[in-house]
Amino acid sequence: TYILNEDRLDYHGGTPEEIQAKAIKSKRIPLDQYPVYPGCEGTNDEENRCIGEKMKQLFIKKFSIPRSAQNGQVRMKLDFVINEEGAVYIEKITGGNDDFHKEIKRIFNKIPNITPANINGIPVSVAFSLPITVNVN
């Protein structure tokens, strides 16, 4: 979050304390075009339904339960980014263990480039979170 300087001529990155003291709420800049996964062309997928469905299909088709997995349910959260070139990369995986993380990374290497989001015709990076639940029997 950027804050106008005292001289009102420039901005600086606000510290968490400044932002809280001034009760500033961040605003999300709306995208003109949302990321487009191959096969989702022609949709302005504001809720990311098509991209989410395509990724879900990829995971269902390609995911192999690691041999080290124990019976039960494994819940993970995958934070990833589609950058301004359309490349997809993982920022963080929470939950599960290293073997599950390796499998998620293996599948992510199979994701094709995606048409990036843009604002005013300028490609921008967009962050996503994807919950993943695996039932191991």
Side-chain angles (χ1 to χ4, degrees), residues 20-40:
Q20 186 174 12
K22 294 183 181 206
I24 296 172
K25 296 192 182 203
S26 295
K27 289 187 177 179
R28 183 178 161 261
I29 299 172
L31 300 171
D32 294 330
Q33 176 62 50
Y34 289 81
V36 180
Y37 195 96
C40 296

Side-chain angles (χ1 to χ4, degrees), residues 30-133:
L31 300 171
D32 294 330
Q33 176 62 50
Y34 289 81
V36 180
Y37 195 96
C40 296
E41 293 84 358
T43 65
N44 194 9
D45 198 12
E46 290 185 37
E47 277 113 38
N48 304 303
R49 287 188 183 141
C50 186
I51 195 171
E53 189 60 35
K54 294 286 185 182
M55 292 185 98
K56 179 180 166 185
Q57 289 170 4
L58 180 69
F59 270 87
I60 289 170
K61 184 177 177 181
K62 301 286 184 184
F63 193 87
S64 295
I65 296 173
R67 292 178 192 209
S68 65
Q70 297 178 355
N71 285 346
Q73 193 175 68
V74 179
R75 292 178 183 232
M76 296 169 280
K77 185 178 111 179
L78 172 63
D79 295 322
F80 66 96
V81 172
I82 300 171
N83 73 13
E84 52 277 332
E85 281 113 34
V88 182
Y89 66 90
I90 296 172
E91 283 206 318
K92 183 170 81 170
I93 304 171
T94 53
N97 62 31
D98 286 343
D99 291 335
F100 278 96
H101 295 191
K102 285 178 191 172
E103 182 61 10
I104 288 171
K105 290 173 185 174
R106 183 187 71 79
I107 292 171
F108 249 69
N109 287 331
K110 297 181 181 302
I111 295 174
N113 265 15
I114 294 171
T115 304
N118 72 63
I119 298 172
N120 294 327
I122 300 168
V124 295
S125 294
V126 180
F128 292 89
S129 288
L130 181 67
I132 299 172
T133 302

